[in-house]
Amino acid sequence: MYRSLRVGVVIPAYNEARAIGRTIADVPALVDDILVVDDASHDATLPLAQAAAQARPGTTVVIQHAANRGVGAAISTGYRHALDRGCDVIAVMAGDGQMDPEDLPRLIDPIAEDRADYVKGNRFLHPEIWTAMPPSRIVGNLALSAATRITSGYRHIFDSQCGYTAMHRRVLAEIDLDALFPRYGYPNDLLSRLAIAGARVVDVPVRPIYGPHWKSGINLRTAVHPIPWVLLRSWSTRLAARLRRE
Ligand SMILES: Nc1nc2c(ncn2[C@@H]2O[C@H](COP(=O)(O)OP(=O)(O)OP(=O)(O)O)[C@@H](O)[C@H]2O)c(=O)[nH]1
Ligand SMILES: [Mg+2]
């Protein structure tokens, strides 16, 4: 529990054998439910996650997708389980150890104080951004963050690609999880749907972590191609919803 809220953390993991055990072990003690979603990994992610879950009995469940469905779909699966378990706030921490567990309370505070419904990390508010994040990621992120400001209508947010987030269950219940884009591009789509739901979104500083063994599933095929189309779709969905209301 944290500030009287039952806290869940969803951890999507795909081929994260190197990092998943440590990621689960390092989840702060304030977290009541850890929902790890293995997305049909080809490596030892599943047994390693199960071993780490046994070290935290009663708190951690490992859910398995029978086939790979994408990071967005894995997060949606985790969200559904967290709602079933009665979590009030549900955070997302990637299974690749790139999120600092010490930042978690900062993500929940605006929700606990009823200032936000959805809080996302913003690594550009952290002083280490320019030294820690690779230039290729900075360039891509600047472009996508600027575009997402327009498509979502949230002009005050940045670092749209940061996956470190927290959401109140009240808002989560209003999002059609089945309709969300299932792969990379998911956070951009979610922001437009949060705007349609009238959610209050707040950015907080989080530490950018790109260790010496950093590997990523993002490449030209997985990200650069689908994301512009996802943005276009999210934008038109949001504008159509606004027209219907007016
Ligand atoms: N469940 C699931 N998780 C995935 C999939 N692809 C990536 N992930 C997870 O999503 C998280 C983020 O993936 P990355 O490819 O590292 O992307 P990122 O951290 O946003 O971007 P980088 O800055 O490139 O590291 C990790 O925990 C991955 O294991 C997938 O197909 N299914
Ligand atoms: Mg990563």
Side-chain angles (χ1 to χ4, degrees):
M1 299 287 278
Y2 180 71
R3 301 182 69 171
S4 310
L5 296 167
R6 182 173 176 132
V7 178
V9 166
V10 172
I11 303 182
Y14 180 57
N15 294 342
E16 296 290 0
R18 285 172 313 118
I20 192 66
R22 180 113 308 269
T23 302
I24 295 170
D26 286 348
V27 172
L30 64 89
V31 173
D32 302 274
D33 300 277
I34 304 173
L35 300 314
V36 184
V37 184
D38 170 64
D39 203 22
S41 296
H42 301 296
D43 65 3
T45 298
L46 181 65
L48 289 169
Q50 286 165 336
Q54 268 173 16
R56 303 190 70 157
T59 303
T60 310
V61 292
V62 182
I63 304 138
Q64 200 190 2
H65 280 174
N68 181 264
R69 287 165 50 194
V71 59
I75 292 170
S76 291
T77 296
Y79 275 153
R80 288 191 192 93
H81 281 258
L83 287 176
D84 287 348
R85 287 169 75 107
C87 295
D88 299 305
V89 178
I90 300 105
V92 178
M93 291 173 86
D96 56 8
Q98 284 185 276
M99 285 150 191
D100 187 343
E102 286 190 12
D103 287 332
L104 187 60
R106 197 178 304 139
L107 282 151
I108 305 173
D109 282 334
I111 295 175
E113 291 157 15
D114 197 23
R115 292 186 285 114
D117 306 301
Y118 182 75
V119 182
K120 50 179 274 316
N122 182 340
R123 294 163 291 183
F124 289 87
L125 296 175
H126 195 283
E128 285 168 25
I129 180 76
W130 307 112
T131 46
M133 192 183 271
S136 64
R137 287 294 177 275
I138 292 181
V139 170
N141 199 318
L142 292 176
L144 290 175
S145 293
T148 305
R149 278 186 172 185
I150 296 167
T151 57
S152 70
Y154 288 118
R155 301 295 166 115
H156 63 287
I157 61 165
F158 208 70
D159 197 4
S160 55
Q161 303 322 107
C162 183
Y164 205 176
T165 65
M167 185 162 15
H168 194 281
R169 67 173 291 127
R170 184 179 55 231
V171 176
L172 184 50
E174 287 188 38
I175 303 291
D176 181 358
L177 293 173
D178 293 323
L180 273 173
F181 189 70
R183 296 191 176 271
Y184 294 120
Y186 175 92
N188 315 74
D189 193 26
L190 179 59
L191 281 165
S192 293
R193 291 169 192 273
L194 286 166
I196 295 170
R200 297 163 298 168
V201 177
V202 164
D203 271 3
V204 296
V206 295
R207 176 185 300 277
I209 300 177
Y210 286 84
H213 306 295
W214 168 61
K215 78 164 180 47
S216 172
I218 297 181
N219 57 40
L220 221 58
R221 192 178 58 81
T222 56
V224 178
H225 167 57
I227 291 184
W229 299 109
V230 178
L231 285 170
L232 214 56
R233 189 186 77 160
S234 309
W235 193 18
S236 46
T237 307
R238 183 176 68 79
L239 294 183
R242 197 168 77 185
L243 284 175
R244 274 199 303 275
R245 265 203 309 273
E246 281 169 2

